[in-house]
Amino acid sequence: MQPAPQARRSLPLLHAAPRVEPRTVRVSLTDRCDLACVYCRPSRSDGYLEKRLDDDAWRAMIRALVQAGVRRVRITGGEPLLHPRVTELVAFVASLGVEDLALTTNATLLAERARALRAAGLQRLTVSLDSLVPERFWRITRGGRLDRVLAGIEAARAAGFAELKTNTVVLRDDNDDELPALTSWAWERGIVPRFIEVMRVGEGAHLPPETLVGHAEMRGRLAHLLVDEDGARDEGRGPARYVHARGDARLRVGFITGTTDTYCETCDRLRVASDGTLRPCLATNDGVAAMDLAERGDVGALVGAIGEAWALKPDGRTWKGCTEDTAADVSMRAIGG
Ligand code: SAM
């Protein structure tokens, strides 16, 4: 059994007054996952949290987040579709009238759930897709079936989400020859492909450094498809930079470059782990344990705990995000990737 992330504080020096307010939250509904991607976890049996929030506790937590000013919610994990009542929880978040409600999934269970999630008010969906070659996909995910994931993506297309994206973590000598194929495949289906630099977070810190394919190299591999411009971020929508296709500005590719570039200064993101720990930053285990408050349904006290967690947010001017040594001790699966 994996111990709960420790609630502790870092050096006060790192926490000069936060520049932005918490507007975006990533909620890890469960730390359980049915895959074990090589850059994310060491095996399928690396242990789970001892206790997770129940549905009422999640409702109190989400009410408190909205009261504290959060306007954009992304549900993630672990694998959020393993939560038996993910659809009901999505409907609850939607009922609070947030501006943006999105979910990140590995899509192994999406074929059965896409339509209900859309009907419950989920607006946008991101699917992790590291390869279009079944054997590779199986190897990178340690046992994932590509056909199920592709069926899930088709169901999501049919369900009519406002936006569909894919996330591909690019690994040298593994899937780095697939960038053009993944891009064309996604564009043909109205999907926005995104390519992610492997970060030294969790298991990513144990991969050989040469596994990293940096942004410049990725751009080189897509040079024939994309305009020769830096691209731009979508306002309020996280760190990805989008570059559009040569000859068609409606087609885009996103790049997430947490290793060669850090973008902490404008980060308005808070995370909630499935045990209720409020986490101000992906790259440290700092946080405020709030399971008890959530279980008591004490929304007022939770708003206070959110403020406390936000005060722990590292100073984005000096902090170098996922390149900091502390990132290696973080489990992306446990805290919500
Ligand atoms: N199970 C869901 C899924 O597969 O999309 C959500 C959780 S998963 C941890 C969320 C994202 O984290 C995925 O897109 C995954 O590729 C990314 N991720 C995990 N570890 C990473 C690492 N070391 N470097 C870069 N991205 C990572």
Side-chain angles (χ1 to χ4, degrees), residues 87 90-91 113-122 159 161:
T87 308
V90 163
R113 299 230 167 144
R115 193 201 290 246
L117 286 167
R118 181 69 184 121
L122 188 67
F161 286 96

Side-chain angles (χ1 to χ4, degrees), residues 179-262:
L179 273 65
L182 280 158
T183 299
S184 305
W185 181 91
W187 283 351
E188 282 159 18
R189 289 163 178 77
I191 297 171
V192 180
R194 305 199 307 176
F195 297 106
I196 304 178
E197 291 179 349
V198 68
M199 296 184 295
R200 298 186 67 72
V201 176
E203 200 53 21
H206 297 124
L207 297 176
E210 56 275 17
T211 309
L212 170 71
V213 178
H215 171 242
E217 202 176 334
M218 292 188 205
R219 289 293 304 268
R221 289 175 192 229
L222 291 170
H224 58 298
L225 294 177
L226 300 179
V227 294
D228 190 15
E229 291 169 11
D230 284 348
R233 298 205 163 100
D234 283 351
E235 180 67 24
R237 290 273 181 87
R241 228 171 228 290
Y242 293 92
V243 181
H244 65 78
R246 286 180 188 273
D248 190 345
R250 290 167 308 172
L251 301 175
R252 309 190 300 161
V253 173
F255 297 92
I256 301 179
T257 57
T259 303
T260 61
D261 182 21
T262 53

Side-chain angles (χ1 to χ4, degrees), residues 280-295:
C281 173
L282 173 62
T284 90
N285 273 321
D286 286 3
V288 171
M291 178 182 271
D292 289 355
L293 300 178
E295 283 183 340

Side-chain angles (χ1 to χ4, degrees), residues 48-244:
Y48 289 126
L49 295 170
E50 278 171 35
K51 205 173 160 213
R52 306 183 184 96
L53 297 193
D54 64 22
D55 297 3
D56 285 339
W58 270 125
R59 287 192 184 92
M61 177 65 81
I62 289 165
R63 271 191 205 289
L65 287 162
V66 171
Q67 268 191 35
V70 162
R71 295 288 171 265
R72 293 181 288 272
V73 177
R74 177 170 292 274
I75 295 175
T76 179
E79 174 43 45
L81 301 194
L82 288 177
H83 192 291
R85 286 168 308 285
V86 60
T87 308
E88 288 83 342
L89 287 165
V90 163
F92 175 74
V93 182
S95 75
L96 298 183
V98 293
E99 277 167 27
D100 185 35
L101 178 51
L103 182 143
T104 304
T105 177
N106 63 27
T108 59
L109 300 171
L110 187 59
E112 300 86 54
R113 299 230 167 144
R115 193 201 290 246
L117 286 167
R118 181 69 184 121
L122 188 67
Q123 298 164 3
R124 304 187 300 122
L125 202 59
T126 301
V127 174
S128 292
L129 180 66
D130 288 336
S131 177
L132 289 169
V133 180
E135 301 73 37
R136 263 189 197 177
F137 185 84
W138 188 88
R139 182 165 37 77
I140 294 171
T141 58
R142 293 200 184 90
R145 278 186 42 192
L146 180 65
D147 58 338
R148 293 187 56 151
V149 171
L150 298 184
I153 292 174
E154 281 314 308
R157 290 179 68 214
F161 286 96
E163 184 182 66
L164 265 179
K165 294 189 293 211
T166 51
N167 273 353
T168 301
V169 177
V170 182
L171 306 166
R172 186 175 308 285
D173 297 334
D174 212 333
N175 62 358
D176 60 330
D177 57 346
E178 281 193 69
L179 273 65
L182 280 158
T183 299
S184 305
W185 181 91
W187 283 351
E188 282 159 18
R189 289 163 178 77
I191 297 171
V192 180
R194 305 199 307 176
F195 297 106
I196 304 178
E197 291 179 349
V198 68
M199 296 184 295
R200 298 186 67 72
V201 176
E203 200 53 21
H206 297 124
L207 297 176
E210 56 275 17
T211 309
L212 170 71
V213 178
H215 171 242
E217 202 176 334
M218 292 188 205
R219 289 293 304 268
R221 289 175 192 229
L222 291 170
H224 58 298
L225 294 177
L226 300 179
V227 294
D228 190 15
E229 291 169 11
D230 284 348
R233 298 205 163 100
D234 283 351
E235 180 67 24
R237 290 273 181 87
R241 228 171 228 290
Y242 293 92
V243 181
H244 65 78

